[in-house]
């Protein structure tokens, strides 16, 4: 009888141990990311995209087409104008010990206005305004070298962009789209675009908030960025509405 009770106890312990081990294995499989956070291990949500909110100076290179005349500056003046925009990159490849390679789409908007000149009026201004609207766009390849920010205490990410830019533009007056000799003042200009920039990793300054953003919203990293870019939009007989200028803003990797 004692031998029977002993065998029963051993069997029960073995069964409980097996069930406990299975439960622990299931817990690790299903809730591994939370267990990792409890252990203090760095766990990030999947990262596939980068979103930029952009602001910068924008003065089109229209006057570069002319040797003497300056139609843009004469009409709108020489003060700085600005553009607001968005860029969304898909990071399709991580290059070991370098960073991410992706493709991006950007879209911006800017508009200038000034009193129009009176035709044959000797430079006198009219009571109505003339305006120039530009919607710059680009399709870019983007390399972000984040190895320093990921592997060292240096929170900097240099990057380079290159691709094809375009811009929808429209010249307006009091009656809508302006016309000269029956030709409407609107069109699309195309050309190459390149950019060099740097990003400051904001997570470095408040890591707890960065972890909360990742856990709650899936934002892996937040940055402040500054870049210099050159867009040559105006191949052939197109109006040159590209620019050589700076942009800055906030970027989020998600």
């Amino acid at each position: 009888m004692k031998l029977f009770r002993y065998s029963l106890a051993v069997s029960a312990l073995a069964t409980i141990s097996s069930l406990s081990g299975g439960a622990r294995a299931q817990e690790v499989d299903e809730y591994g990311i939370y267990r990792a956070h409890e252990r203090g291990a760095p766990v990030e949500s999947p990262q596939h995209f980068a979103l930029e909110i952009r602001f910068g100076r924008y003065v089109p290179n229209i006057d570069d087409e002319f040797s003497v005349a300056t139609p843009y500056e004469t009409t709108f003046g020489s003060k700085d104008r600005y553009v607001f925009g968005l860029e969304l990159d898909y990071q399709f490849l991580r290059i070991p010990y370098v960073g991410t390679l992706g493709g991006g789409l950007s879209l911006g908007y800017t508009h200038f206005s000034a009193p129009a000149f009176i035709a044959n009026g000797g430079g006198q201004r009219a009571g109505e305004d003339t305006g120039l609207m530009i919607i710059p766009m680009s399709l870019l390849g983007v390399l972000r070298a984040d190895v320093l920010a990921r592997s060292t205490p240096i929170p900097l990410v240099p990057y380079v962009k290159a691709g094809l830019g375009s811009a929808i533009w429209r010249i307006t007056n009091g009656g809508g789209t302006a016309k000269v000799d029956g030709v409407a003042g609107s069109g699309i200009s195309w050309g190459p675009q390149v950019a060099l920039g740097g990003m400051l990793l904001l997570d470095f300054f408040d890591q707890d908030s960065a972890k909360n953003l990742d856990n709650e919203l899936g934002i892996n990293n937040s940055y402040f960025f500054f870049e210099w870019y050159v867009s040559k939009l105006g191949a052939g007989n197109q109006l040159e509405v590209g620019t050589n200028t700076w942009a800055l803003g906030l970027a989020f990797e998600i």
Side-chain angles (χ1 to χ4, degrees), residues 158-194:
Y159 64 86
V160 60
K161 303 176 183 178
L164 178 65
S166 67
I168 299 171
W169 55 270
R170 179 171 176 249
I171 301 171
T172 61
N173 57 25
T177 302
K179 293 184 179 181
V180 177
D181 297 329
V183 179
S186 61
I188 302 176
S189 298
W190 301 84
Q193 181 168 320
V194 296

PDB file of all heavy atoms in Angstrom, residues 158-194:
ATOM      1  N   PRO A 158      23.328  60.718 -39.963  1.00  0.00           N
ATOM      2  CA  PRO A 158      23.468  61.386 -41.259  1.00  0.00           C
ATOM      3  C   PRO A 158      22.676  60.642 -42.324  1.00  0.00           C
ATOM      4  O   PRO A 158      22.457  59.432 -42.218  1.00  0.00           O
ATOM      5  CB  PRO A 158      24.974  61.329 -41.528  1.00  0.00           C
ATOM      6  CG  PRO A 158      25.441  60.150 -40.753  1.00  0.00           C
ATOM      7  CD  PRO A 158      24.569  60.043 -39.549  1.00  0.00           C
ATOM      8  N   TYR A 159      22.239  61.364 -43.369  1.00  0.00           N
ATOM      9  CA  TYR A 159      21.489  60.695 -44.432  1.00  0.00           C
ATOM     10  C   TYR A 159      21.707  61.405 -45.761  1.00  0.00           C
ATOM     11  O   TYR A 159      22.136  62.564 -45.819  1.00  0.00           O
ATOM     12  CB  TYR A 159      19.997  60.621 -44.094  1.00  0.00           C
ATOM     13  CG  TYR A 159      19.279  61.941 -43.986  1.00  0.00           C
ATOM     14  CD1 TYR A 159      18.747  62.574 -45.115  1.00  0.00           C
ATOM     15  CD2 TYR A 159      19.105  62.565 -42.762  1.00  0.00           C
ATOM     16  CE1 TYR A 159      18.069  63.785 -45.022  1.00  0.00           C
ATOM     17  CE2 TYR A 159      18.431  63.767 -42.646  1.00  0.00           C
ATOM     18  CZ  TYR A 159      17.919  64.374 -43.772  1.00  0.00           C
ATOM     19  OH  TYR A 159      17.256  65.575 -43.677  1.00  0.00           O
ATOM     20  N   VAL A 160      21.396  60.690 -46.807  1.00  0.00           N
ATOM     21  CA  VAL A 160      21.483  61.230 -48.163  1.00  0.00           C
ATOM     22  C   VAL A 160      20.241  60.781 -48.930  1.00  0.00           C
ATOM     23  O   VAL A 160      19.725  59.676 -48.724  1.00  0.00           O
ATOM     24  CB  VAL A 160      22.777  60.750 -48.869  1.00  0.00           C
ATOM     25  CG1 VAL A 160      22.824  59.231 -48.965  1.00  0.00           C
ATOM     26  CG2 VAL A 160      22.920  61.390 -50.237  1.00  0.00           C
ATOM     27  N   LYS A 161      19.752  61.680 -49.806  1.00  0.00           N
ATOM     28  CA  LYS A 161      18.589  61.384 -50.644  1.00  0.00           C
ATOM     29  C   LYS A 161      18.910  61.765 -52.087  1.00  0.00           C
ATOM     30  O   LYS A 161      19.626  62.737 -52.327  1.00  0.00           O
ATOM     31  CB  LYS A 161      17.358  62.177 -50.191  1.00  0.00           C
ATOM     32  CG  LYS A 161      16.950  61.973 -48.753  1.00  0.00           C
ATOM     33  CD  LYS A 161      15.773  62.887 -48.381  1.00  0.00           C
ATOM     34  CE  LYS A 161      15.385  62.757 -46.929  1.00  0.00           C
ATOM     35  NZ  LYS A 161      14.274  63.674 -46.555  1.00  0.00           N
ATOM     36  N   ALA A 162      18.363  61.025 -53.014  1.00  0.00           N
ATOM     37  CA  ALA A 162      18.532  61.360 -54.435  1.00  0.00           C
ATOM     38  C   ALA A 162      17.369  60.771 -55.214  1.00  0.00           C
ATOM     39  O   ALA A 162      16.877  59.679 -54.896  1.00  0.00           O
ATOM     40  CB  ALA A 162      19.856  60.820 -54.974  1.00  0.00           C
ATOM     41  N   GLY A 163      16.928  61.510 -56.243  1.00  0.00           N
ATOM     42  CA  GLY A 163      15.829  60.991 -57.044  1.00  0.00           C
ATOM     43  C   GLY A 163      15.297  62.003 -58.026  1.00  0.00           C
ATOM     44  O   GLY A 163      16.004  62.933 -58.443  1.00  0.00           O
ATOM     45  N   LEU A 164      14.039  61.847 -58.369  1.00  0.00           N
ATOM     46  CA  LEU A 164      13.371  62.681 -59.359  1.00  0.00           C
ATOM     47  C   LEU A 164      12.370  63.596 -58.677  1.00  0.00           C
ATOM     48  O   LEU A 164      11.525  63.148 -57.899  1.00  0.00           O
ATOM     49  CB  LEU A 164      12.637  61.806 -60.383  1.00  0.00           C
ATOM     50  CG  LEU A 164      11.848  62.539 -61.471  1.00  0.00           C
ATOM     51  CD1 LEU A 164      12.787  63.330 -62.379  1.00  0.00           C
ATOM     52  CD2 LEU A 164      11.019  61.545 -62.290  1.00  0.00           C
ATOM     53  N   GLY A 165      12.485  64.891 -58.961  1.00  0.00           N
ATOM     54  CA  GLY A 165      11.548  65.857 -58.415  1.00  0.00           C
ATOM     55  C   GLY A 165      10.648  66.427 -59.497  1.00  0.00           C
ATOM     56  O   GLY A 165      10.964  66.370 -60.693  1.00  0.00           O
ATOM     57  N   SER A 166       9.533  66.970 -59.083  1.00  0.00           N
ATOM     58  CA  SER A 166       8.615  67.639 -60.005  1.00  0.00           C
ATOM     59  C   SER A 166       7.846  68.701 -59.227  1.00  0.00           C
ATOM     60  O   SER A 166       7.846  68.708 -57.997  1.00  0.00           O
ATOM     61  CB  SER A 166       7.642  66.645 -60.650  1.00  0.00           C
ATOM     62  OG  SER A 166       6.766  66.115 -59.669  1.00  0.00           O
ATOM     63  N   ALA A 167       7.213  69.593 -59.949  1.00  0.00           N
ATOM     64  CA  ALA A 167       6.412  70.629 -59.296  1.00  0.00           C
ATOM     65  C   ALA A 167       5.285  71.055 -60.213  1.00  0.00           C
ATOM     66  O   ALA A 167       5.492  71.321 -61.408  1.00  0.00           O
ATOM     67  CB  ALA A 167       7.271  71.832 -58.925  1.00  0.00           C
ATOM     68  N   ILE A 168       4.097  71.108 -59.655  1.00  0.00           N
ATOM     69  CA  ILE A 168       2.950  71.716 -60.333  1.00  0.00           C
ATOM     70  C   ILE A 168       2.965  73.203 -59.980  1.00  0.00           C
ATOM     71  O   ILE A 168       3.064  73.562 -58.808  1.00  0.00           O
ATOM     72  CB  ILE A 168       1.637  71.072 -59.867  1.00  0.00           C
ATOM     73  CG1 ILE A 168       1.624  69.578 -60.194  1.00  0.00           C
ATOM     74  CG2 ILE A 168       0.439  71.769 -60.510  1.00  0.00           C
ATOM     75  CD1 ILE A 168       0.446  68.839 -59.570  1.00  0.00           C
ATOM     76  N   TRP A 169       2.924  74.058 -60.977  1.00  0.00           N
ATOM     77  CA  TRP A 169       2.952  75.499 -60.704  1.00  0.00           C
ATOM     78  C   TRP A 169       1.826  76.200 -61.460  1.00  0.00           C
ATOM     79  O   TRP A 169       1.359  75.726 -62.494  1.00  0.00           O
ATOM     80  CB  TRP A 169       4.301  76.112 -61.070  1.00  0.00           C
ATOM     81  CG  TRP A 169       4.748  75.862 -62.487  1.00  0.00           C
ATOM     82  CD1 TRP A 169       5.502  74.818 -62.945  1.00  0.00           C
ATOM     83  CD2 TRP A 169       4.441  76.673 -63.627  1.00  0.00           C
ATOM     84  NE1 TRP A 169       5.706  74.920 -64.300  1.00  0.00           N
ATOM     85  CE2 TRP A 169       5.055  76.054 -64.748  1.00  0.00           C
ATOM     86  CE3 TRP A 169       3.735  77.852 -63.825  1.00  0.00           C
ATOM     87  CZ2 TRP A 169       4.978  76.578 -66.033  1.00  0.00           C
ATOM     88  CZ3 TRP A 169       3.637  78.371 -65.106  1.00  0.00           C
ATOM     89  CH2 TRP A 169       4.256  77.738 -66.192  1.00  0.00           C
ATOM     90  N   ARG A 170       1.411  77.351 -60.917  1.00  0.00           N
ATOM     91  CA  ARG A 170       0.301  78.106 -61.513  1.00  0.00           C
ATOM     92  C   ARG A 170       0.462  79.580 -61.171  1.00  0.00           C
ATOM     93  O   ARG A 170       0.644  79.933 -60.010  1.00  0.00           O
ATOM     94  CB  ARG A 170      -1.028  77.575 -60.991  1.00  0.00           C
ATOM     95  CG  ARG A 170      -2.269  78.297 -61.521  1.00  0.00           C
ATOM     96  CD  ARG A 170      -3.509  77.541 -61.096  1.00  0.00           C
ATOM     97  NE  ARG A 170      -4.732  78.217 -61.488  1.00  0.00           N
ATOM     98  CZ  ARG A 170      -5.587  78.793 -60.653  1.00  0.00           C
ATOM     99  NH1 ARG A 170      -5.345  78.783 -59.344  1.00  0.00           N
ATOM    100  NH2 ARG A 170      -6.687  79.362 -61.087  1.00  0.00           N
ATOM    101  N   ILE A 171       0.420  80.430 -62.194  1.00  0.00           N
ATOM    102  CA  ILE A 171       0.472  81.877 -62.025  1.00  0.00           C
ATOM    103  C   ILE A 171      -0.949  82.415 -62.127  1.00  0.00           C
ATOM    104  O   ILE A 171      -1.659  82.099 -63.078  1.00  0.00           O
ATOM    105  CB  ILE A 171       1.372  82.533 -63.085  1.00  0.00           C
ATOM    106  CG1 ILE A 171       2.791  81.959 -62.998  1.00  0.00           C
ATOM    107  CG2 ILE A 171       1.405  84.044 -62.921  1.00  0.00           C
ATOM    108  CD1 ILE A 171       3.686  82.384 -64.145  1.00  0.00           C
ATOM    109  N   THR A 172      -1.363  83.225 -61.166  1.00  0.00           N
ATOM    110  CA  THR A 172      -2.747  83.698 -61.121  1.00  0.00           C
ATOM    111  C   THR A 172      -2.804  85.226 -61.129  1.00  0.00           C
ATOM    112  O   THR A 172      -1.836  85.912 -60.795  1.00  0.00           O
ATOM    113  CB  THR A 172      -3.453  83.186 -59.855  1.00  0.00           C
ATOM    114  OG1 THR A 172      -2.763  83.680 -58.702  1.00  0.00           O
ATOM    115  CG2 THR A 172      -3.475  81.669 -59.811  1.00  0.00           C
ATOM    116  N   ASN A 173      -3.959  85.715 -61.527  1.00  0.00           N
ATOM    117  CA  ASN A 173      -4.283  87.140 -61.409  1.00  0.00           C
ATOM    118  C   ASN A 173      -5.720  87.249 -60.929  1.00  0.00           C
ATOM    119  O   ASN A 173      -6.302  86.254 -60.491  1.00  0.00           O
ATOM    120  CB  ASN A 173      -4.050  87.878 -62.734  1.00  0.00           C
ATOM    121  CG  ASN A 173      -4.845  87.260 -63.883  1.00  0.00           C
ATOM    122  OD1 ASN A 173      -5.875  86.616 -63.658  1.00  0.00           O
ATOM    123  ND2 ASN A 173      -4.384  87.455 -65.110  1.00  0.00           N
ATOM    124  N   GLY A 174      -6.298  88.416 -60.994  1.00  0.00           N
ATOM    125  CA  GLY A 174      -7.655  88.601 -60.495  1.00  0.00           C
ATOM    126  C   GLY A 174      -8.694  87.759 -61.206  1.00  0.00           C
ATOM    127  O   GLY A 174      -9.755  87.481 -60.651  1.00  0.00           O
ATOM    128  N   GLY A 175      -8.403  87.329 -62.417  1.00  0.00           N
ATOM    129  CA  GLY A 175      -9.365  86.530 -63.174  1.00  0.00           C
ATOM    130  C   GLY A 175      -9.100  85.044 -63.147  1.00  0.00           C
ATOM    131  O   GLY A 175      -9.735  84.290 -63.883  1.00  0.00           O
ATOM    132  N   GLY A 176      -8.154  84.596 -62.344  1.00  0.00           N
ATOM    133  CA  GLY A 176      -7.824  83.168 -62.295  1.00  0.00           C
ATOM    134  C   GLY A 176      -6.426  82.933 -62.826  1.00  0.00           C
ATOM    135  O   GLY A 176      -5.504  83.708 -62.558  1.00  0.00           O
ATOM    136  N   THR A 177      -6.261  81.868 -63.606  1.00  0.00           N
ATOM    137  CA  THR A 177      -4.955  81.564 -64.184  1.00  0.00           C
ATOM    138  C   THR A 177      -4.563  82.637 -65.190  1.00  0.00           C
ATOM    139  O   THR A 177      -5.326  82.960 -66.097  1.00  0.00           O
ATOM    140  CB  THR A 177      -4.963  80.193 -64.874  1.00  0.00           C
ATOM    141  OG1 THR A 177      -5.324  79.197 -63.919  1.00  0.00           O
ATOM    142  CG2 THR A 177      -3.592  79.864 -65.439  1.00  0.00           C
ATOM    143  N   ALA A 178      -3.378  83.193 -65.031  1.00  0.00           N
ATOM    144  CA  ALA A 178      -2.919  84.249 -65.941  1.00  0.00           C
ATOM    145  C   ALA A 178      -2.620  83.683 -67.318  1.00  0.00           C
ATOM    146  O   ALA A 178      -2.214  82.533 -67.459  1.00  0.00           O
ATOM    147  CB  ALA A 178      -1.665  84.908 -65.364  1.00  0.00           C
ATOM    148  N   LYS A 179      -2.821  84.519 -68.352  1.00  0.00           N
ATOM    149  CA  LYS A 179      -2.536  84.124 -69.737  1.00  0.00           C
ATOM    150  C   LYS A 179      -1.742  85.223 -70.424  1.00  0.00           C
ATOM    151  O   LYS A 179      -1.985  86.409 -70.207  1.00  0.00           O
ATOM    152  CB  LYS A 179      -3.834  83.861 -70.506  1.00  0.00           C
ATOM    153  CG  LYS A 179      -4.615  82.645 -70.025  1.00  0.00           C
ATOM    154  CD  LYS A 179      -5.834  82.390 -70.895  1.00  0.00           C
ATOM    155  CE  LYS A 179      -6.597  81.162 -70.425  1.00  0.00           C
ATOM    156  NZ  LYS A 179      -7.789  80.900 -71.297  1.00  0.00           N
ATOM    157  N   VAL A 180      -0.782  84.799 -71.242  1.00  0.00           N
ATOM    158  CA  VAL A 180       0.003  85.719 -72.052  1.00  0.00           C
ATOM    159  C   VAL A 180      -0.058  85.232 -73.494  1.00  0.00           C
ATOM    160  O   VAL A 180       0.363  84.111 -73.788  1.00  0.00           O
ATOM    161  CB  VAL A 180       1.470  85.780 -71.577  1.00  0.00           C
ATOM    162  CG1 VAL A 180       2.282  86.699 -72.489  1.00  0.00           C
ATOM    163  CG2 VAL A 180       1.547  86.259 -70.133  1.00  0.00           C
ATOM    164  N   ASP A 181      -0.621  86.081 -74.367  1.00  0.00           N
ATOM    165  CA  ASP A 181      -0.804  85.701 -75.777  1.00  0.00           C
ATOM    166  C   ASP A 181      -1.546  84.376 -75.903  1.00  0.00           C
ATOM    167  O   ASP A 181      -1.217  83.528 -76.746  1.00  0.00           O
ATOM    168  CB  ASP A 181       0.547  85.611 -76.483  1.00  0.00           C
ATOM    169  CG  ASP A 181       1.263  86.947 -76.521  1.00  0.00           C
ATOM    170  OD1 ASP A 181       0.598  87.994 -76.564  1.00  0.00           O
ATOM    171  OD2 ASP A 181       2.518  86.948 -76.495  1.00  0.00           O
ATOM    172  N   GLY A 182      -2.541  84.172 -75.065  1.00  0.00           N
ATOM    173  CA  GLY A 182      -3.361  82.971 -75.129  1.00  0.00           C
ATOM    174  C   GLY A 182      -2.754  81.753 -74.470  1.00  0.00           C
ATOM    175  O   GLY A 182      -3.380  80.691 -74.437  1.00  0.00           O
ATOM    176  N   VAL A 183      -1.541  81.862 -73.926  1.00  0.00           N
ATOM    177  CA  VAL A 183      -0.882  80.735 -73.267  1.00  0.00           C
ATOM    178  C   VAL A 183      -1.111  80.829 -71.766  1.00  0.00           C
ATOM    179  O   VAL A 183      -0.787  81.846 -71.136  1.00  0.00           O
ATOM    180  CB  VAL A 183       0.634  80.715 -73.568  1.00  0.00           C
ATOM    181  CG1 VAL A 183       1.302  79.551 -72.845  1.00  0.00           C
ATOM    182  CG2 VAL A 183       0.864  80.628 -75.066  1.00  0.00           C
ATOM    183  N   ALA A 184      -1.695  79.770 -71.188  1.00  0.00           N
ATOM    184  CA  ALA A 184      -2.008  79.765 -69.755  1.00  0.00           C
ATOM    185  C   ALA A 184      -0.726  79.675 -68.926  1.00  0.00           C
ATOM    186  O   ALA A 184       0.208  78.949 -69.270  1.00  0.00           O
ATOM    187  CB  ALA A 184      -2.931  78.604 -69.417  1.00  0.00           C
ATOM    188  N   GLY A 185      -0.696  80.396 -67.831  1.00  0.00           N
ATOM    189  CA  GLY A 185       0.466  80.390 -66.942  1.00  0.00           C
ATOM    190  C   GLY A 185       0.402  79.264 -65.936  1.00  0.00           C
ATOM    191  O   GLY A 185       0.261  79.497 -64.724  1.00  0.00           O
ATOM    192  N   SER A 186       0.511  78.034 -66.397  1.00  0.00           N
ATOM    193  CA  SER A 186       0.494  76.867 -65.510  1.00  0.00           C
ATOM    194  C   SER A 186       1.231  75.733 -66.193  1.00  0.00           C
ATOM    195  O   SER A 186       1.409  75.723 -67.416  1.00  0.00           O
ATOM    196  CB  SER A 186      -0.939  76.434 -65.176  1.00  0.00           C
ATOM    197  OG  SER A 186      -1.634  76.062 -66.360  1.00  0.00           O
ATOM    198  N   GLY A 187       1.681  74.782 -65.398  1.00  0.00           N
ATOM    199  CA  GLY A 187       2.388  73.651 -65.985  1.00  0.00           C
ATOM    200  C   GLY A 187       3.012  72.772 -64.924  1.00  0.00           C
ATOM    201  O   GLY A 187       2.784  72.929 -63.719  1.00  0.00           O
ATOM    202  N   ILE A 188       3.829  71.810 -65.389  1.00  0.00           N
ATOM    203  CA  ILE A 188       4.570  70.895 -64.524  1.00  0.00           C
ATOM    204  C   ILE A 188       6.031  70.921 -64.943  1.00  0.00           C
ATOM    205  O   ILE A 188       6.336  70.817 -66.133  1.00  0.00           O
ATOM    206  CB  ILE A 188       4.028  69.455 -64.592  1.00  0.00           C
ATOM    207  CG1 ILE A 188       2.547  69.420 -64.196  1.00  0.00           C
ATOM    208  CG2 ILE A 188       4.834  68.529 -63.686  1.00  0.00           C
ATOM    209  CD1 ILE A 188       1.921  68.043 -64.322  1.00  0.00           C
ATOM    210  N   SER A 189       6.937  71.070 -63.994  1.00  0.00           N
ATOM    211  CA  SER A 189       8.367  71.060 -64.267  1.00  0.00           C
ATOM    212  C   SER A 189       8.995  69.847 -63.591  1.00  0.00           C
ATOM    213  O   SER A 189       8.595  69.463 -62.485  1.00  0.00           O
ATOM    214  CB  SER A 189       9.031  72.345 -63.758  1.00  0.00           C
ATOM    215  OG  SER A 189       8.497  73.482 -64.416  1.00  0.00           O
ATOM    216  N   TRP A 190      10.000  69.264 -64.266  1.00  0.00           N
ATOM    217  CA  TRP A 190      10.644  68.036 -63.793  1.00  0.00           C
ATOM    218  C   TRP A 190      12.147  68.237 -63.680  1.00  0.00           C
ATOM    219  O   TRP A 190      12.704  69.140 -64.304  1.00  0.00           O
ATOM    220  CB  TRP A 190      10.382  66.880 -64.759  1.00  0.00           C
ATOM    221  CG  TRP A 190       8.946  66.554 -64.973  1.00  0.00           C
ATOM    222  CD1 TRP A 190       8.089  67.164 -65.841  1.00  0.00           C
ATOM    223  CD2 TRP A 190       8.194  65.561 -64.305  1.00  0.00           C
ATOM    224  NE1 TRP A 190       6.841  66.600 -65.761  1.00  0.00           N
ATOM    225  CE2 TRP A 190       6.881  65.603 -64.822  1.00  0.00           C
ATOM    226  CE3 TRP A 190       8.486  64.609 -63.312  1.00  0.00           C
ATOM    227  CZ2 TRP A 190       5.880  64.749 -64.388  1.00  0.00           C
ATOM    228  CZ3 TRP A 190       7.480  63.753 -62.888  1.00  0.00           C
ATOM    229  CH2 TRP A 190       6.198  63.831 -63.415  1.00  0.00           C
ATOM    230  N   GLY A 191      12.798  67.351 -62.913  1.00  0.00           N
ATOM    231  CA  GLY A 191      14.246  67.392 -62.847  1.00  0.00           C
ATOM    232  C   GLY A 191      14.792  66.598 -61.671  1.00  0.00           C
ATOM    233  O   GLY A 191      14.043  66.090 -60.836  1.00  0.00           O
ATOM    234  N   PRO A 192      16.119  66.482 -61.573  1.00  0.00           N
ATOM    235  CA  PRO A 192      16.741  65.723 -60.479  1.00  0.00           C
ATOM    236  C   PRO A 192      16.712  66.481 -59.159  1.00  0.00           C
ATOM    237  O   PRO A 192      16.623  67.716 -59.129  1.00  0.00           O
ATOM    238  CB  PRO A 192      18.177  65.527 -60.972  1.00  0.00           C
ATOM    239  CG  PRO A 192      18.421  66.709 -61.860  1.00  0.00           C
ATOM    240  CD  PRO A 192      17.113  67.001 -62.531  1.00  0.00           C
ATOM    241  N   GLN A 193      16.810  65.727 -58.073  1.00  0.00           N
ATOM    242  CA  GLN A 193      16.835  66.330 -56.742  1.00  0.00           C
ATOM    243  C   GLN A 193      17.756  65.514 -55.844  1.00  0.00           C
ATOM    244  O   GLN A 193      17.719  64.279 -55.855  1.00  0.00           O
ATOM    245  CB  GLN A 193      15.431  66.369 -56.140  1.00  0.00           C
ATOM    246  CG  GLN A 193      15.359  67.004 -54.758  1.00  0.00           C
ATOM    247  CD  GLN A 193      13.944  67.282 -54.309  1.00  0.00           C
ATOM    248  OE1 GLN A 193      13.094  67.716 -55.096  1.00  0.00           O
ATOM    249  NE2 GLN A 193      13.653  67.026 -53.039  1.00  0.00           N
ATOM    250  N   VAL A 194      18.599  66.182 -55.076  1.00  0.00           N
ATOM    251  CA  VAL A 194      19.495  65.523 -54.120  1.00  0.00           C
ATOM    252  C   VAL A 194      19.449  66.284 -52.798  1.00  0.00           C
ATOM    253  O   VAL A 194      19.128  67.486 -52.764  1.00  0.00           O
ATOM    254  CB  VAL A 194      20.947  65.452 -54.637  1.00  0.00           C
ATOM    255  CG1 VAL A 194      21.030  64.580 -55.878  1.00  0.00           C
ATOM    256  CG2 VAL A 194      21.493  66.838 -54.912  1.00  0.00           C
TER     257      VAL A 194
END
